[in-house]
């Protein structure tokens, strides 16, 4: 996995700071890889006719792969030395083949927690090419400190 050059230090992170965005064009190639990993070969994810039988106009993407895209957004930002403590997402929309999904995030808080860890709270959002909010999320990460 490609990460940024260096893990950000907790001391240098500011509330309101934006994370570098992450974008993915969804297609059957990505979905097939995902399905092979999780044994999720469901007709409405793989076949337009199967999707139509389930009331969709065309094949739809797996929800859990969108959660993995938000995970990628965070992992790319925190680098090798950071740790993802929590990550959650809400699947609020459907994504179709060839949608362009853009993940963004920003820092909403930073603190030293009860265990002495230097943590940063993030809010994240995935939108499609129409600007529709398809997957909001949140995460808490641990970053190294200079002190």
């Amino acid at each position: 996995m490609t990460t940024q050059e260096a893990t950000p230090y907790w001391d240098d992170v500011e509330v309101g700071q934006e994370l570098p965005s992450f974008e993915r064009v969804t297609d059957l190639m990505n979905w097939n890889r995902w399905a092979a990993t999780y044994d999720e070969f469901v007709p409405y994810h793989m076949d337009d006719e199967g999707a139509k039988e389930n009331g969709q106009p065309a094949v739809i993407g797996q929800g859990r792969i969108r959660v993995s895209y938000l995970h990628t957004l965070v992992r790319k930002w925190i680098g090798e030395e950071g740790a993802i403590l929590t990550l959650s997402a809400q699947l609020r929309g459907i994504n179709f083949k060839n949608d362009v999904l853009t993940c963004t995030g920003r820092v909403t808080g930073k603190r030293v927690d009860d265990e002495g860890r230097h943590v940063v709270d993030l809010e994240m959002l995935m939108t499609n090419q129409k600007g529709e909010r398809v997957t909001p999320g949140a995460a808490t990460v641990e970053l190294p400190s200079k002190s």
Side-chain angles (χ1 to χ4, degrees):
M1 170 189 331
T2 303
T3 58
Q4 69 176 38
E5 287 188 26
T7 298
Y9 281 96
W10 179 86
D11 313 68
D12 299 329
V13 171
E14 299 290 335
V15 172
Q17 180 178 336
E18 301 286 328
L19 278 61
S21 64
F22 172 77
E23 184 175 278
R24 179 63 50 97
V25 177
T26 60
D27 58 23
L28 288 176
M29 180 184 69
N30 291 316
W31 295 347
N32 282 330
R33 287 182 187 147
W34 182 265
T37 302
Y38 289 95
D39 193 25
E40 195 173 337
F41 290 102
V42 181
Y44 51 83
H45 291 313
M46 300 291 140
D47 177 66
D48 283 333
E49 291 307 312
K52 289 175 184 173
E53 289 173 10
N54 280 281
Q56 296 299 329
V59 66
I60 62 174
Q62 299 97 330
R64 291 186 299 173
I65 198 171
R66 294 194 336 239
V67 177
S68 79
Y69 294 162
L70 291 177
H71 185 274
T72 300
L73 169 77
V74 174
R75 175 52 58 198
K76 282 178 167 279
W77 182 64
I78 67 171
E80 302 278 330
E81 295 180 50
I84 298 173
L85 302 176
T86 65
L87 188 141
S88 63
Q90 299 174 5
L91 305 175
R92 293 192 179 171
I94 295 173
N95 73 285
F96 295 96
K97 181 173 51 178
N98 300 319
D99 277 355
V100 178
L101 300 178
T102 302
C103 303
T104 57
R106 72 179 186 88
V107 175
T108 59
K110 64 183 262 189
R111 65 191 183 291
V112 177
D113 71 7
D114 294 339
E115 297 177 35
R117 298 178 296 192
H118 292 82
V119 299
V120 174
D121 298 312
L122 306 170
E123 74 175 10
M124 301 169 295
L125 179 62
M126 182 184 302
T127 56
N128 63 18
Q129 70 279 1
K130 298 175 189 173
E132 297 168 333
R133 301 166 51 98
V134 294
T135 312
T140 299
V141 300
E142 179 182 10
L143 296 176
S145 175
K146 294 177 180 177
S147 54

